[in-house]
Amino acid sequence: MGKAEGKGENWHGHVTAVTVDPQFRRVGLAAKMMKILEDVSEKKYDGYFVDLFVRKSNEVAKNMYTNLGYSIYRQVIGYYSGEEDAYDLRKALPRDVEKKSIIPLKRPV
């Protein structure tokens, strides 16, 4: 599930949730859903990037998204109910020719 949001060079696709039933994991379904969201963000909404948030402790998700071309843009302190930090992961789309949207911030926010 996702949406388009932002203004100007922050216009982007945002992944709200990706969920795959445990019995159907590790067969590429999440990657297929991400590809669809990326294509819609690029071709229909002409976004600069796609982003999503993942728990800092969720190594499985971080690895999956890294393998799909996402990188850590920033760490968000206390994002999950003040209990756990999140990583804001981003993937630049073709509209962001200079890849400005994925230059990592130097400190957590």
Side-chain angles (χ1 to χ4, degrees), residues 23-80:
Q23 69 182 8
F24 297 106
R25 291 182 183 161
R26 305 198 61 78
V27 296
L29 292 176
K32 287 178 184 176
M33 287 188 280
M34 291 300 297
K35 178 69 174 137
I36 292 167
L37 190 134
E38 292 165 11
D39 286 347
V40 169
S41 297
E42 175 190 348
K43 295 174 181 149
K44 180 171 178 137
Y45 294 106
D46 197 24
Y48 285 89
F49 61 94
V50 172
D51 81 338
L52 58 98
F53 292 88
V54 65
R55 289 181 182 275
K56 186 177 176 185
S57 64
N58 191 339
E59 292 296 326
V60 172
K62 283 190 294 189
N63 289 335
M64 181 189 79
Y65 291 117
T66 298
N67 289 335
L68 294 175
Y70 288 78
S71 59
I72 296 172
Y73 172 71
R74 63 184 174 159
Q75 181 178 331
V76 182
I77 298 170
Y79 182 83
Y80 290 100

Side-chain angles (χ1 to χ4, degrees), residues 89-107:
L89 302 179
R90 292 187 176 188
K91 182 176 183 177
L93 296 175
R95 184 174 183 189
D96 183 6
V97 176
E98 297 177 21
K99 309 288 186 229
K100 289 193 238 177
S101 65
I102 61 170
I103 298 170
L105 298 184
K106 296 185 190 313
R107 332 184 278 258

